[in-house]
C-alpha cells in the first residue's frame, strides 16, 4: 500500500524499517535455491551463519539456521555446494538488514541438476539458440584469438602451446577468469563480451579442463548461453573432455572435445598447409604441362597442313589464275573495242553520206527565205523575193526574177 508522504511530512527511518519488516513478514516461508559461498560454524554456538548466492545474477543473501538444522546435512554440504533451503524471510529493523531463517536444508543432487539442465536446454532450443543456421563459420587463419580460461590452467597451456606449435605467428588475447564457483559465470560472461567488442579478435575460445557436473555448471548457465548466442565473433567451446557436454557446447559456433582439440580446429597446421600448397603447385604444374603439350600437338598438326607448310604454293596457283583471267579480260575488252570501232566507222560513213553537206557537195543548193525557212516548192516564192542560196562552198543571195507558172508545175 502506498504511503502519503511529503517533504513536510516524512516518515522516520524507524517507521520505514518497521513497515518493510511488516511487508516481509507477510511473504511467509519460501523454498530458495542457491550456492553456499560462506559458511560460519562457531564452536559451541547454536546458530550457523552462511551466505547463499545466485551465481547467474551475482546476488547474495544471508541465511541463519539452528545447528541441528545444519547438522542434518553437514556431511554432504560445504562451501560451493548448491542447496535448496526452506526459509522464512526476516527483517532486522535496527540494521535494516534482510536475512533468511532456514528451517530445512537439502543438497541439490546430480540427478536434480541434470533434470534442470535438460529443462533449460529444451527451453533455449525452442527459442532457436542452438539452431545450425545461427552458427558462424570460423576464419581460415585468425590473426588474433581471444581465449577465456582459468589463470595458469592446463587448458590455457594446451591451447597456447598447441596453437603456436601449429602456427607460430598466431597471437592471443587472454582473459583469465574463475572457471568454477560462485564468481565464474559473471566473470566469464564479462570476458566473452569484452573479447567480442575487441575489433582485432577473429575468434573466441572458452576453455576449461575436465571436472564434475557441479564444476562445469557455470558453462551451462542461461546467462552465459545467451551472451554467447548474441556474440558477433565466432565462439569455440572447449570445456572438459569428450563425454562432457555443457549447454555452451550447443550454442557455440564450434564444439571442441578438449582444449587441445580447440587449438587444432581454430589454427591450421603450418606444415600441413605447406604440404598442401606444394601438392597444389605440383598439380597446377602438371595441369599446365598437359595443357601446353596438347596445344603444342595441335600447333604441330596445324603447321603440317599444306596451307601452312607451303603457304606460297597457294599464292602461286592463284597468281596463274589471276594472270589468265587478266589476259582473257584484255582480249575480250579488245574484241569489244574493235567491234565498237568498226560499228562507229560504218555509222559515221552512213551519217556522212546522208548529211545535207554531202548533198551540197554533189552540186545541190538549198534556198532559204529571209526568215530562214527552206523553200521546198516554187509556189512558196513570188517575183522579186530575195532568197539565200546555200551551196557546198558557202552561200549567196538570189532574187526571184519571175513568178512561177502554175501550168508549168513550178518547173520554171
Amino acid at each position: 500500500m502506498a504511503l502519503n508522504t511529503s517533504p513536510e511530512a516524512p516518515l522516520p527511518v524507524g517507521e520505514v524499517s518497521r513497515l518493510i519488516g511488516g511487508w516481509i513478514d507477510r511473504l511467509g516461508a519460501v523454498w530458495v535455491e542457491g550456492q553456499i559461498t560462506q559458511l560460519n560454524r562457531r564452536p559451541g554456538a547454536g546458530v550457523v551463519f552462511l551466505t547463499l548466492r545466485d551465481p547467474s545474477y551475482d546476488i547474495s543473501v544471508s541465511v541463519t539456521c539452528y545447528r541441528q538444522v545444519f547438522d542434518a546435512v553437514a556431511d554432504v554440504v560445504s562451501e560451493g555446494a548448491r542447496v535448496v533451503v526452506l526459509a522464512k524471510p526476516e527483517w532486522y529493523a535496527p540494521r535494516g538488514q534482510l536475512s533468511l531463517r532456514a528451517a530445512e536444508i537439502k543438497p541439490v543432487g546430480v540427478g536434480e541438476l541434470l533434470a534442470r539442465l535438460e529443462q533449460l536446454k529444451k527451453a533455449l532450443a525452442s527459442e532457436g539458440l542452438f539452431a545450425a543456421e545461427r552458427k558462424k563459420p570460423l576464419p581460415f587463419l585468425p590473426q588474433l584469438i581471444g581465449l577465456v580460461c582459468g589463470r595458469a590452467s592446463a587448458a590455457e597451456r594446451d591451447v597456447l602451446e598447441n596453437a603456436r606449435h601449429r602456427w607460430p605467428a598466431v597471437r592471443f588475447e587472454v582473459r583469465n577468469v574463475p572457471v568454477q564457483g560462485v564468481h565464474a559465470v559473471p566473470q566469464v560472461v564479462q570476458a566473452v563480451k569484452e573479447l567480442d567488442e575487441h575489433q582485432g579478435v577473429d575468434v573466441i575460445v572458452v576453455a576449461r579442463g575436465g571436472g564434475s557436473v557441479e564444476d562445469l555448471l557455470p558453462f551451462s548457465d542461461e546467462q552465459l548461453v545467451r551472451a554467447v548466442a548474441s556474440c558477433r565473433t565466432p565462439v569455440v567451446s572447449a570445456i572438459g573432455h569428450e563425454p562432457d557436454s555443457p549447454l555452451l557446447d550447443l550454442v557455440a559456433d564450434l564444439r571442441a572435445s578438449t582444449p587441445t582439440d580447440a587449438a587444432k580446429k581454430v589454427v591450421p597446421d603450418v606444415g600441413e598447409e605447406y604440404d598442401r600448397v606444394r601438392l597444389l603447385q605440383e598439380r597446377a604444374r602438371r595441369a599446365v604441362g598437359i595443357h601446353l603439350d596438347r596445344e603444342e600437338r595441335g600447333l604441330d598438326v596445324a603447321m603440317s597442313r599444306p596451307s601452312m607448310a607451303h603457304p606460297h604454293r597457294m599464292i602461286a596457283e592463284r597468281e596463274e589464275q589471276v594472270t589468265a583471267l587478266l589476259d582473257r579480260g584484255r582480249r575480250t575488252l579488245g574484241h569489244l573495242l574493235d567491234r565498237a570501232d568498226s560499228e562507229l566507222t560504218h555509222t559515221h560513213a552512213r551519217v556522212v553520206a546522208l548529211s545535207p553537206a554531202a548533198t551540197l557537195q554533189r552540186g545541190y543548193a538549198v534556198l532559204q527565205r529571209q526568215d530562214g525557212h527552206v523553200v521546198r516548192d516554187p509556189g512558196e516564192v513570188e517575183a522579186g523575193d530575195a532568197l539565200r542560196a546555200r551551196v557546198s562552198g558557202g552561200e549567196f543571195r538570189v532574187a526571184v526574177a519571175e513568178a512561177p507558172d502554175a501550168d508549168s508545175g513550178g518547173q520554171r
Side-chain angles (χ1 to χ4, degrees):
M1 182 181 298
L3 299 176
N4 294 324
T5 61
S6 67
E8 292 75 18
L11 288 178
V13 173
E15 180 65 15
V16 173
S17 180
R18 185 188 65 80
L19 291 173
I20 293 175
W23 293 329
I24 291 176
D25 286 339
R26 298 190 189 99
L27 182 61
V30 293
W31 284 100
V32 182
E33 180 188 358
Q35 188 173 20
I36 298 176
T37 59
Q38 291 182 352
L39 179 60
N40 188 353
R41 300 174 63 189
R42 296 176 183 175
V47 178
V48 177
F49 299 90
L50 52 92
T51 301
L52 205 60
R53 184 184 183 88
D54 186 342
S56 298
Y57 296 97
D58 198 15
I59 297 175
S60 301
V61 64
S62 298
V63 180
T64 60
C65 66
Y66 292 112
R67 175 174 289 275
Q68 58 267 28
V69 174
F70 186 82
D71 287 345
V73 294
D75 295 336
V76 293
V77 170
S78 59
E79 287 189 4
R82 281 181 174 263
V83 295
V84 177
V85 177
L86 176 61
K88 175 72 171 60
E90 292 182 346
W91 180 256
Y92 186 59
R95 293 184 181 178
Q97 181 177 356
L98 175 68
S99 63
L100 300 177
R101 171 72 67 171
E104 185 178 356
I105 300 176
K106 290 184 177 182
V108 177
V110 175
E112 294 177 272
L113 291 176
L114 294 178
R116 293 178 186 178
L117 288 179
E118 188 63 27
Q119 292 177 354
L120 179 59
K121 175 181 176 181
K122 292 180 179 179
L124 297 176
S126 64
E127 297 181 25
L129 297 186
F130 305 151
E133 55 270 17
R134 298 184 77 256
K135 308 294 184 183
K136 296 177 286 295
L138 270 62
F140 167 71
L141 180 58
Q143 300 299 312
L144 182 62
I145 300 174
L147 176 60
V148 181
C149 59
R151 184 179 302 276
S153 62
E156 178 181 8
R157 184 178 62 254
D158 289 345
V159 173
L160 296 180
E161 290 182 358
N162 283 279
R164 288 167 178 163
H165 176 73
R166 292 172 64 84
W167 198 274
V170 69
R171 296 180 296 116
F172 281 89
E173 185 74 19
V174 181
R175 294 290 185 273
N176 294 122
V177 296
V179 291
Q180 69 181 57
V182 295
H183 301 289
V185 173
Q187 294 197 31
V188 172
V189 170
Q190 180 63 27
V192 169
K193 290 182 178 180
E194 288 180 4
L195 293 174
D196 185 46
E197 295 172 357
H198 196 295
Q199 297 296 325
V201 173
D202 299 316
V203 62
I204 300 173
V205 178
V206 182
R208 187 202 190 283
S212 64
V213 174
E214 293 87 348
D215 293 339
L216 300 182
L217 278 179
F219 300 97
S220 292
D221 188 86
E222 181 178 359
Q223 185 181 0
L224 176 59
V225 171
R226 294 190 182 277
V228 171
S230 62
C231 284
R232 297 172 299 174
T233 309
V235 178
V236 177
S237 174
I239 306 301
H241 302 298
E242 182 65 35
D244 300 323
S245 182
L247 297 185
L248 180 62
D249 287 351
L250 303 178
V251 73
D253 299 292
L254 179 67
R255 176 188 181 269
S257 58
T258 62
T260 300
D261 184 51
K264 294 179 179 180
K265 291 183 176 180
V266 171
V267 180
D269 184 85
V270 64
E272 294 177 358
E273 296 305 318
Y274 176 79
D275 292 340
R276 185 176 291 109
V277 170
R278 181 176 53 81
L279 291 175
L280 291 175
Q281 287 178 337
E282 293 178 357
R283 185 185 301 175
R285 189 178 293 108
R286 288 196 300 270
V288 171
I290 293 173
H291 180 73
L292 291 176
D293 291 342
R294 182 172 62 250
E295 295 300 320
E296 186 176 7
R297 289 193 299 270
L299 183 61
D300 291 340
V301 172
M303 293 300 295
S304 64
R305 294 176 181 176
S307 58
M308 298 298 295
H310 305 284
H312 297 289
R313 178 183 299 175
M314 182 180 296
I315 297 175
E317 294 176 354
R318 298 302 180 190
E319 182 181 13
E320 295 176 358
Q321 295 178 4
V322 170
T323 302
L325 291 174
L326 183 60
D327 293 341
R328 181 179 176 183
R330 287 174 176 171
R331 289 194 300 272
T332 301
L333 181 60
H335 295 330
L336 292 176
L337 291 176
D338 292 343
R339 186 184 303 170
D341 182 68
S342 176
E343 292 178 354
L344 181 61
T345 302
H346 294 159
T347 302
H348 182 266
R350 289 197 300 272
V351 170
V352 171
L354 297 176
S355 68
T359 304
L360 293 178
Q361 288 180 356
R362 289 197 300 269
Y364 293 92
V366 178
L367 296 177
Q368 292 177 308
R369 298 177 61 180
Q370 294 298 323
D371 56 6
H373 286 80
V374 177
V375 179
R376 293 182 176 83
D377 189 90
E380 296 179 357
V381 297
E382 296 180 353
D385 287 344
L387 302 176
R388 185 174 58 184
R390 185 177 179 183
V391 295
S392 175
E395 63 179 31
F396 54 89
R397 296 184 179 277
V398 297
V400 179
E402 184 179 352
D405 188 357
D407 294 336
S408 60
Q411 302 276 337
R412 194 173 160 186

